[in-house]
Amino acid sequence: MSVRLAARRLALSGSSPSPSSLAAASPTCAALLASPPTSSQRRHKWSINVFKGWGKSSSKEAAAGRGGGSDPLTSELDDPKKRQQFLERNMHGSVEDNIFQDEIEAGSGGPRAAEEERPGAQAEQKTRENMAMVTDPDPRARIRWHRKKVIQMVRSNGHLTTRERLARSERQLLHKSTFLPTSVKKLVMLSRQIAGKPVDDAIAQMQWSKKKMAAEIKYYLEEARDLAIAQRGMGLGKVSGELLDKPRKIQTKEGKWIDIADPTRMYIAQSWVGRGPWRGKEIDYKGRGRMGIIQHPSTSFTVLLKEEKTRIREHEEREAKKKAKGPWVHHPNRSIHGQRPYYTW
C-alpha cells in the first residue's frame, strides 16, 4: 500500500513541518523521512509573499525554519480534523492555486454561497452561456458592425434605402449546409420540390420522400427553423399575439392562391444547390482493356427562410401596380422620324 503525500498542497512558505508532527500525523510518514527530500513546486496561496518576492523567503526565516521554529499553520495542520478540512477545501473546493482567488470570491460573493442560495443556478448559467455562444458568437464583431452602421446612418443623414427599410420590418434567415456526398443533378430535384412551401410542409415532404438525401435535407430544414426561432424570433406570432382575425387570401408569384392566418409563419422563399469539390476518384473499367475515371461529386444545399409578411407585401405591391397601370390603349398612327438611309448591320 502506497502513501501519497500532498507535498504540493502542504508545503508552506518559509518553514517545513517537523518530523515529529509528520510522525504524529501518520506512522508511515516516519519511514519516508529517511529517503532524500524531493523538490516540489510550491504554488499555493501561502507561498507568495507580496512584500518579499514571489514565493522567496528571507535568510532569517529560512534559518528559523531550519532551527525548528513553530509556525501557526503547521500547528493547525497537526490536528487531523483541521488537516482533513484543509485537504477537502483545496482538493474539492475552488481553485486555491490562483493568487487572485480571494479577490474573485469577494467580488462575486463566493461561488459556494451562490450555489447554496440557488441550487439550479449553475445549470441555468451553463444554458445561458450556451445560448449566448449560438445567438452572439462574436460580441466584438457585433459591436464593430453596430458602430459601422451608425457611422453610415450619420453620413446618409438618416436616409434609408428600400432594402434597409424592409430589413427592419421583415426578418429572414439564410442557412447553408455542409457539402453532401451527392451530385447537383440529384439534389436539385429536392430543392425544387420544397421551394415556396411552408417549413413544416417541406419537412413533411422530406420525411416521406424515398430519396436518399431527403433525410439530410430534412435535418438542415429543422436546423434552419430552430435557428430562425432562436436567433431572429421568427414564427412566434401565436406567442406574441400577431395572428390575424380572419385568414387573408393572397396570390403568390407562381399564381397560386393561399390563405394566411399567421403572418409570422415561415416559408422557404428560395432554395438552391451549389457544386462542391470532388470527393475522390475511382477507375471505371471498360471493355477491350480500356478504362475511365469516375469522380465523386459533393454538393451544398442553401435555403432562405422568410415570414408570410413578405408574401403579403409582395401581393399588395403587385395589386397596386396593376391598378396604377390602367387600361391598355392602342397607339395611334404616327409618322416615323429619324430613319437612316443605310442598314444597321
PDB file of all heavy atoms in Angstrom, residues 58-90:
ATOM      1  N   SER A  58      13.161  34.959   3.159  1.00  0.00           N
ATOM      2  CA  SER A  58      14.434  35.574   3.539  1.00  0.00           C
ATOM      3  C   SER A  58      15.321  34.559   4.259  1.00  0.00           C
ATOM      4  O   SER A  58      14.905  33.484   4.646  1.00  0.00           O
ATOM      5  CB  SER A  58      14.173  36.796   4.427  1.00  0.00           C
ATOM      6  OG  SER A  58      13.500  36.377   5.613  1.00  0.00           O
ATOM      7  N   SER A  59      16.569  34.939   4.450  1.00  0.00           N
ATOM      8  CA  SER A  59      17.522  34.027   5.096  1.00  0.00           C
ATOM      9  C   SER A  59      17.179  33.823   6.565  1.00  0.00           C
ATOM     10  O   SER A  59      17.352  32.741   7.122  1.00  0.00           O
ATOM     11  CB  SER A  59      18.949  34.569   4.950  1.00  0.00           C
ATOM     12  OG  SER A  59      19.012  35.878   5.537  1.00  0.00           O
ATOM     13  N   LYS A  60      16.640  34.897   7.218  1.00  0.00           N
ATOM     14  CA  LYS A  60      16.284  34.751   8.617  1.00  0.00           C
ATOM     15  C   LYS A  60      15.139  33.783   8.801  1.00  0.00           C
ATOM     16  O   LYS A  60      15.137  32.941   9.689  1.00  0.00           O
ATOM     17  CB  LYS A  60      15.914  36.121   9.193  1.00  0.00           C
ATOM     18  CG  LYS A  60      17.082  37.106   9.240  1.00  0.00           C
ATOM     19  CD  LYS A  60      16.655  38.413   9.862  1.00  0.00           C
ATOM     20  CE  LYS A  60      17.817  39.412   9.912  1.00  0.00           C
ATOM     21  NZ  LYS A  60      17.386  40.690  10.523  1.00  0.00           N
ATOM     22  N   GLU A  61      14.136  33.891   7.908  1.00  0.00           N
ATOM     23  CA  GLU A  61      13.001  32.975   8.003  1.00  0.00           C
ATOM     24  C   GLU A  61      13.434  31.554   7.706  1.00  0.00           C
ATOM     25  O   GLU A  61      12.982  30.604   8.329  1.00  0.00           O
ATOM     26  CB  GLU A  61      11.901  33.408   7.040  1.00  0.00           C
ATOM     27  CG  GLU A  61      11.249  34.724   7.431  1.00  0.00           C
ATOM     28  CD  GLU A  61      10.227  35.143   6.404  1.00  0.00           C
ATOM     29  OE1 GLU A  61      10.147  34.454   5.366  1.00  0.00           O
ATOM     30  OE2 GLU A  61       9.532  36.141   6.636  1.00  0.00           O
ATOM     31  N   ALA A  62      14.353  31.396   6.726  1.00  0.00           N
ATOM     32  CA  ALA A  62      14.830  30.052   6.408  1.00  0.00           C
ATOM     33  C   ALA A  62      15.612  29.475   7.576  1.00  0.00           C
ATOM     34  O   ALA A  62      15.499  28.287   7.901  1.00  0.00           O
ATOM     35  CB  ALA A  62      15.711  30.092   5.154  1.00  0.00           C
ATOM     36  N   ALA A  63      16.423  30.330   8.227  1.00  0.00           N
ATOM     37  CA  ALA A  63      17.177  29.835   9.372  1.00  0.00           C
ATOM     38  C   ALA A  63      16.247  29.475  10.517  1.00  0.00           C
ATOM     39  O   ALA A  63      16.441  28.484  11.221  1.00  0.00           O
ATOM     40  CB  ALA A  63      18.191  30.904   9.831  1.00  0.00           C
ATOM     41  N   ALA A  64      15.198  30.300  10.710  1.00  0.00           N
ATOM     42  CA  ALA A  64      14.242  29.981  11.772  1.00  0.00           C
ATOM     43  C   ALA A  64      13.512  28.690  11.475  1.00  0.00           C
ATOM     44  O   ALA A  64      13.243  27.879  12.355  1.00  0.00           O
ATOM     45  CB  ALA A  64      13.251  31.140  11.944  1.00  0.00           C
ATOM     46  N   GLY A  65      13.209  28.480  10.158  1.00  0.00           N
ATOM     47  CA  GLY A  65      12.530  27.234   9.790  1.00  0.00           C
ATOM     48  C   GLY A  65      13.424  26.042   9.998  1.00  0.00           C
ATOM     49  O   GLY A  65      12.990  24.988  10.442  1.00  0.00           O
ATOM     50  N   ARG A  66      14.695  26.211   9.657  1.00  0.00           N
ATOM     51  CA  ARG A  66      15.610  25.075   9.857  1.00  0.00           C
ATOM     52  C   ARG A  66      15.884  24.850  11.333  1.00  0.00           C
ATOM     53  O   ARG A  66      16.172  23.752  11.778  1.00  0.00           O
ATOM     54  CB  ARG A  66      16.925  25.349   9.103  1.00  0.00           C
ATOM     55  CG  ARG A  66      16.814  25.178   7.600  1.00  0.00           C
ATOM     56  CD  ARG A  66      18.194  25.153   6.982  1.00  0.00           C
ATOM     57  NE  ARG A  66      18.938  26.404   7.214  1.00  0.00           N
ATOM     58  CZ  ARG A  66      18.914  27.448   6.372  1.00  0.00           C
ATOM     59  NH1 ARG A  66      18.158  27.397   5.288  1.00  0.00           N
ATOM     60  NH2 ARG A  66      19.620  28.522   6.633  1.00  0.00           N
ATOM     61  N   GLY A  67      15.775  25.933  12.123  1.00  0.00           N
ATOM     62  CA  GLY A  67      16.050  25.778  13.545  1.00  0.00           C
ATOM     63  C   GLY A  67      14.900  25.145  14.295  1.00  0.00           C
ATOM     64  O   GLY A  67      15.015  24.870  15.476  1.00  0.00           O
ATOM     65  N   GLY A  68      13.755  24.918  13.644  1.00  0.00           N
ATOM     66  CA  GLY A  68      12.642  24.249  14.301  1.00  0.00           C
ATOM     67  C   GLY A  68      11.676  25.209  14.930  1.00  0.00           C
ATOM     68  O   GLY A  68      11.006  24.852  15.900  1.00  0.00           O
ATOM     69  N   GLY A  69      11.586  26.468  14.391  1.00  0.00           N
ATOM     70  CA  GLY A  69      10.634  27.409  14.920  1.00  0.00           C
ATOM     71  C   GLY A  69       9.206  26.966  14.656  1.00  0.00           C
ATOM     72  O   GLY A  69       8.916  26.323  13.649  1.00  0.00           O
ATOM     73  N   SER A  70       8.295  27.292  15.535  1.00  0.00           N
ATOM     74  CA  SER A  70       6.910  26.865  15.390  1.00  0.00           C
ATOM     75  C   SER A  70       6.182  27.816  14.455  1.00  0.00           C
ATOM     76  O   SER A  70       6.409  29.018  14.472  1.00  0.00           O
ATOM     77  CB  SER A  70       6.231  26.846  16.759  1.00  0.00           C
ATOM     78  OG  SER A  70       6.235  28.157  17.311  1.00  0.00           O
ATOM     79  N   ASP A  71       5.302  27.259  13.631  1.00  0.00           N
ATOM     80  CA  ASP A  71       4.511  28.015  12.675  1.00  0.00           C
ATOM     81  C   ASP A  71       3.051  27.762  13.003  1.00  0.00           C
ATOM     82  O   ASP A  71       2.648  26.613  13.204  1.00  0.00           O
ATOM     83  CB  ASP A  71       4.823  27.562  11.250  1.00  0.00           C
ATOM     84  CG  ASP A  71       4.285  28.549  10.235  1.00  0.00           C
ATOM     85  OD1 ASP A  71       3.514  29.429  10.636  1.00  0.00           O
ATOM     86  OD2 ASP A  71       4.629  28.410   9.053  1.00  0.00           O
ATOM     87  N   PRO A  72       2.200  28.794  13.085  1.00  0.00           N
ATOM     88  CA  PRO A  72       0.797  28.554  13.412  1.00  0.00           C
ATOM     89  C   PRO A  72       0.094  27.682  12.395  1.00  0.00           C
ATOM     90  O   PRO A  72      -0.765  26.867  12.730  1.00  0.00           O
ATOM     91  CB  PRO A  72       0.201  29.968  13.451  1.00  0.00           C
ATOM     92  CG  PRO A  72       1.163  30.825  12.719  1.00  0.00           C
ATOM     93  CD  PRO A  72       2.503  30.226  12.945  1.00  0.00           C
ATOM     94  N   LEU A  73       0.458  27.823  11.088  1.00  0.00           N
ATOM     95  CA  LEU A  73      -0.163  26.976  10.078  1.00  0.00           C
ATOM     96  C   LEU A  73       0.240  25.525  10.246  1.00  0.00           C
ATOM     97  O   LEU A  73      -0.565  24.609  10.066  1.00  0.00           O
ATOM     98  CB  LEU A  73       0.224  27.483   8.683  1.00  0.00           C
ATOM     99  CG  LEU A  73      -0.321  28.869   8.322  1.00  0.00           C
ATOM    100  CD1 LEU A  73       0.233  29.300   6.991  1.00  0.00           C
ATOM    101  CD2 LEU A  73      -1.829  28.861   8.316  1.00  0.00           C
ATOM    102  N   THR A  74       1.520  25.307  10.591  1.00  0.00           N
ATOM    103  CA  THR A  74       1.978  23.930  10.800  1.00  0.00           C
ATOM    104  C   THR A  74       1.287  23.316  12.004  1.00  0.00           C
ATOM    105  O   THR A  74       0.888  22.150  11.990  1.00  0.00           O
ATOM    106  CB  THR A  74       3.492  23.913  10.990  1.00  0.00           C
ATOM    107  OG1 THR A  74       4.088  24.609   9.910  1.00  0.00           O
ATOM    108  CG2 THR A  74       4.013  22.505  11.040  1.00  0.00           C
ATOM    109  N   SER A  75       1.131  24.109  13.066  1.00  0.00           N
ATOM    110  CA  SER A  75       0.459  23.570  14.250  1.00  0.00           C
ATOM    111  C   SER A  75      -1.007  23.267  13.959  1.00  0.00           C
ATOM    112  O   SER A  75      -1.573  22.319  14.500  1.00  0.00           O
ATOM    113  CB  SER A  75       0.572  24.577  15.388  1.00  0.00           C
ATOM    114  OG  SER A  75      -0.027  25.814  15.013  1.00  0.00           O
ATOM    115  N   GLU A  76      -1.628  24.064  13.080  1.00  0.00           N
ATOM    116  CA  GLU A  76      -3.006  23.768  12.731  1.00  0.00           C
ATOM    117  C   GLU A  76      -3.111  22.480  11.913  1.00  0.00           C
ATOM    118  O   GLU A  76      -4.052  21.718  12.075  1.00  0.00           O
ATOM    119  CB  GLU A  76      -3.602  24.929  11.933  1.00  0.00           C
ATOM    120  CG  GLU A  76      -3.891  26.159  12.775  1.00  0.00           C
ATOM    121  CD  GLU A  76      -4.517  27.259  11.948  1.00  0.00           C
ATOM    122  OE1 GLU A  76      -4.756  27.010  10.742  1.00  0.00           O
ATOM    123  OE2 GLU A  76      -4.767  28.341  12.500  1.00  0.00           O
ATOM    124  N   LEU A  77      -2.132  22.254  11.043  1.00  0.00           N
ATOM    125  CA  LEU A  77      -2.164  21.048  10.227  1.00  0.00           C
ATOM    126  C   LEU A  77      -1.843  19.800  11.025  1.00  0.00           C
ATOM    127  O   LEU A  77      -2.035  18.690  10.535  1.00  0.00           O
ATOM    128  CB  LEU A  77      -1.190  21.177   9.054  1.00  0.00           C
ATOM    129  CG  LEU A  77      -1.559  22.240   8.012  1.00  0.00           C
ATOM    130  CD1 LEU A  77      -0.495  22.305   6.943  1.00  0.00           C
ATOM    131  CD2 LEU A  77      -2.905  21.940   7.394  1.00  0.00           C
ATOM    132  N   ASP A  78      -1.311  19.965  12.220  1.00  0.00           N
ATOM    133  CA  ASP A  78      -1.064  18.774  13.044  1.00  0.00           C
ATOM    134  C   ASP A  78      -2.362  18.130  13.501  1.00  0.00           C
ATOM    135  O   ASP A  78      -2.420  16.922  13.717  1.00  0.00           O
ATOM    136  CB  ASP A  78      -0.214  19.160  14.263  1.00  0.00           C
ATOM    137  CG  ASP A  78       1.203  19.513  13.857  1.00  0.00           C
ATOM    138  OD1 ASP A  78       1.631  19.091  12.756  1.00  0.00           O
ATOM    139  OD2 ASP A  78       1.885  20.212  14.631  1.00  0.00           O
ATOM    140  N   ASP A  79      -3.393  18.923  13.664  1.00  0.00           N
ATOM    141  CA  ASP A  79      -4.681  18.380  14.074  1.00  0.00           C
ATOM    142  C   ASP A  79      -5.288  17.590  12.923  1.00  0.00           C
ATOM    143  O   ASP A  79      -5.405  18.121  11.805  1.00  0.00           O
ATOM    144  CB  ASP A  79      -5.609  19.524  14.482  1.00  0.00           C
ATOM    145  CG  ASP A  79      -6.878  19.012  15.135  1.00  0.00           C
ATOM    146  OD1 ASP A  79      -6.997  17.782  15.321  1.00  0.00           O
ATOM    147  OD2 ASP A  79      -7.742  19.839  15.472  1.00  0.00           O
ATOM    148  N   PRO A  80      -5.687  16.340  13.115  1.00  0.00           N
ATOM    149  CA  PRO A  80      -6.233  15.541  11.985  1.00  0.00           C
ATOM    150  C   PRO A  80      -7.485  16.149  11.391  1.00  0.00           C
ATOM    151  O   PRO A  80      -7.670  16.140  10.177  1.00  0.00           O
ATOM    152  CB  PRO A  80      -6.491  14.174  12.619  1.00  0.00           C
ATOM    153  CG  PRO A  80      -5.627  14.127  13.825  1.00  0.00           C
ATOM    154  CD  PRO A  80      -5.542  15.527  14.331  1.00  0.00           C
ATOM    155  N   LYS A  81      -8.381  16.709  12.224  1.00  0.00           N
ATOM    156  CA  LYS A  81      -9.620  17.261  11.702  1.00  0.00           C
ATOM    157  C   LYS A  81      -9.357  18.496  10.845  1.00  0.00           C
ATOM    158  O   LYS A  81      -9.904  18.650   9.748  1.00  0.00           O
ATOM    159  CB  LYS A  81     -10.551  17.621  12.857  1.00  0.00           C
ATOM    160  CG  LYS A  81     -11.069  16.410  13.616  1.00  0.00           C
ATOM    161  CD  LYS A  81     -12.051  16.839  14.688  1.00  0.00           C
ATOM    162  CE  LYS A  81     -12.603  15.616  15.439  1.00  0.00           C
ATOM    163  NZ  LYS A  81     -13.569  16.022  16.485  1.00  0.00           N
ATOM    164  N   LYS A  82      -8.486  19.376  11.324  1.00  0.00           N
ATOM    165  CA  LYS A  82      -8.173  20.584  10.551  1.00  0.00           C
ATOM    166  C   LYS A  82      -7.423  20.250   9.269  1.00  0.00           C
ATOM    167  O   LYS A  82      -7.598  20.894   8.242  1.00  0.00           O
ATOM    168  CB  LYS A  82      -7.351  21.549  11.402  1.00  0.00           C
ATOM    169  CG  LYS A  82      -8.135  22.123  12.571  1.00  0.00           C
ATOM    170  CD  LYS A  82      -7.319  23.150  13.331  1.00  0.00           C
ATOM    171  CE  LYS A  82      -8.143  23.748  14.473  1.00  0.00           C
ATOM    172  NZ  LYS A  82      -7.363  24.747  15.240  1.00  0.00           N
ATOM    173  N   ARG A  83      -6.550  19.228   9.352  1.00  0.00           N
ATOM    174  CA  ARG A  83      -5.838  18.818   8.137  1.00  0.00           C
ATOM    175  C   ARG A  83      -6.807  18.260   7.099  1.00  0.00           C
ATOM    176  O   ARG A  83      -6.693  18.530   5.900  1.00  0.00           O
ATOM    177  CB  ARG A  83      -4.768  17.786   8.492  1.00  0.00           C
ATOM    178  CG  ARG A  83      -3.897  17.391   7.293  1.00  0.00           C
ATOM    179  CD  ARG A  83      -2.702  16.552   7.706  1.00  0.00           C
ATOM    180  NE  ARG A  83      -3.113  15.280   8.293  1.00  0.00           N
ATOM    181  CZ  ARG A  83      -3.030  14.986   9.584  1.00  0.00           C
ATOM    182  NH1 ARG A  83      -2.551  15.883  10.437  1.00  0.00           N
ATOM    183  NH2 ARG A  83      -3.427  13.818  10.040  1.00  0.00           N
ATOM    184  N   GLN A  84      -7.816  17.490   7.551  1.00  0.00           N
ATOM    185  CA  GLN A  84      -8.796  16.951   6.626  1.00  0.00           C
ATOM    186  C   GLN A  84      -9.635  18.074   6.005  1.00  0.00           C
ATOM    187  O   GLN A  84      -9.929  18.047   4.799  1.00  0.00           O
ATOM    188  CB  GLN A  84      -9.702  15.941   7.358  1.00  0.00           C
ATOM    189  CG  GLN A  84     -10.699  15.231   6.460  1.00  0.00           C
ATOM    190  CD  GLN A  84      -9.992  14.306   5.472  1.00  0.00           C
ATOM    191  OE1 GLN A  84      -8.859  13.905   5.693  1.00  0.00           O
ATOM    192  NE2 GLN A  84     -10.672  14.009   4.383  1.00  0.00           N
ATOM    193  N   GLN A  85     -10.013  19.050   6.803  1.00  0.00           N
ATOM    194  CA  GLN A  85     -10.749  20.183   6.259  1.00  0.00           C
ATOM    195  C   GLN A  85      -9.907  20.965   5.259  1.00  0.00           C
ATOM    196  O   GLN A  85     -10.404  21.440   4.237  1.00  0.00           O
ATOM    197  CB  GLN A  85     -11.193  21.107   7.400  1.00  0.00           C
ATOM    198  CG  GLN A  85     -12.230  20.488   8.336  1.00  0.00           C
ATOM    199  CD  GLN A  85     -12.553  21.390   9.497  1.00  0.00           C
ATOM    200  OE1 GLN A  85     -12.005  22.491   9.596  1.00  0.00           O
ATOM    201  NE2 GLN A  85     -13.437  20.932  10.389  1.00  0.00           N
ATOM    202  N   PHE A  86      -8.614  21.102   5.566  1.00  0.00           N
ATOM    203  CA  PHE A  86      -7.714  21.808   4.644  1.00  0.00           C
ATOM    204  C   PHE A  86      -7.625  21.085   3.302  1.00  0.00           C
ATOM    205  O   PHE A  86      -7.677  21.696   2.228  1.00  0.00           O
ATOM    206  CB  PHE A  86      -6.341  21.928   5.301  1.00  0.00           C
ATOM    207  CG  PHE A  86      -5.280  22.476   4.398  1.00  0.00           C
ATOM    208  CD1 PHE A  86      -5.183  23.836   4.156  1.00  0.00           C
ATOM    209  CD2 PHE A  86      -4.378  21.634   3.772  1.00  0.00           C
ATOM    210  CE1 PHE A  86      -4.210  24.343   3.316  1.00  0.00           C
ATOM    211  CE2 PHE A  86      -3.410  22.136   2.934  1.00  0.00           C
ATOM    212  CZ  PHE A  86      -3.320  23.483   2.701  1.00  0.00           C
ATOM    213  N   LEU A  87      -7.491  19.746   3.351  1.00  0.00           N
ATOM    214  CA  LEU A  87      -7.393  18.989   2.108  1.00  0.00           C
ATOM    215  C   LEU A  87      -8.686  19.028   1.321  1.00  0.00           C
ATOM    216  O   LEU A  87      -8.685  19.148   0.089  1.00  0.00           O
ATOM    217  CB  LEU A  87      -6.996  17.535   2.417  1.00  0.00           C
ATOM    218  CG  LEU A  87      -5.579  17.326   2.968  1.00  0.00           C
ATOM    219  CD1 LEU A  87      -5.353  15.873   3.314  1.00  0.00           C
ATOM    220  CD2 LEU A  87      -4.554  17.794   1.957  1.00  0.00           C
ATOM    221  N   GLU A  88      -9.826  18.920   1.985  1.00  0.00           N
ATOM    222  CA  GLU A  88     -11.099  18.974   1.267  1.00  0.00           C
ATOM    223  C   GLU A  88     -11.327  20.351   0.644  1.00  0.00           C
ATOM    224  O   GLU A  88     -11.841  20.465  -0.467  1.00  0.00           O
ATOM    225  CB  GLU A  88     -12.247  18.656   2.222  1.00  0.00           C
ATOM    226  CG  GLU A  88     -12.307  17.193   2.651  1.00  0.00           C
ATOM    227  CD  GLU A  88     -13.446  16.929   3.619  1.00  0.00           C
ATOM    228  OE1 GLU A  88     -14.156  17.891   3.966  1.00  0.00           O
ATOM    229  OE2 GLU A  88     -13.606  15.770   4.011  1.00  0.00           O
ATOM    230  N   ARG A  89     -10.918  21.396   1.346  1.00  0.00           N
ATOM    231  CA  ARG A  89     -11.102  22.740   0.802  1.00  0.00           C
ATOM    232  C   ARG A  89     -10.227  22.980  -0.422  1.00  0.00           C
ATOM    233  O   ARG A  89     -10.632  23.639  -1.371  1.00  0.00           O
ATOM    234  CB  ARG A  89     -10.787  23.767   1.881  1.00  0.00           C
ATOM    235  CG  ARG A  89     -11.056  25.214   1.438  1.00  0.00           C
ATOM    236  CD  ARG A  89     -10.964  26.182   2.607  1.00  0.00           C
ATOM    237  NE  ARG A  89      -9.613  26.233   3.154  1.00  0.00           N
ATOM    238  CZ  ARG A  89      -9.265  25.737   4.321  1.00  0.00           C
ATOM    239  NH1 ARG A  89     -10.168  25.111   5.072  1.00  0.00           N
ATOM    240  NH2 ARG A  89      -8.023  25.820   4.763  1.00  0.00           N
ATOM    241  N   ASN A  90      -9.034  22.408  -0.426  1.00  0.00           N
ATOM    242  CA  ASN A  90      -8.109  22.634  -1.536  1.00  0.00           C
ATOM    243  C   ASN A  90      -8.307  21.646  -2.684  1.00  0.00           C
ATOM    244  O   ASN A  90      -8.046  21.987  -3.831  1.00  0.00           O
ATOM    245  CB  ASN A  90      -6.662  22.552  -1.044  1.00  0.00           C
ATOM    246  CG  ASN A  90      -6.250  23.788  -0.275  1.00  0.00           C
ATOM    247  OD1 ASN A  90      -6.567  24.889  -0.682  1.00  0.00           O
ATOM    248  ND2 ASN A  90      -5.581  23.602   0.843  1.00  0.00           N
TER     249      ASN A  90
END
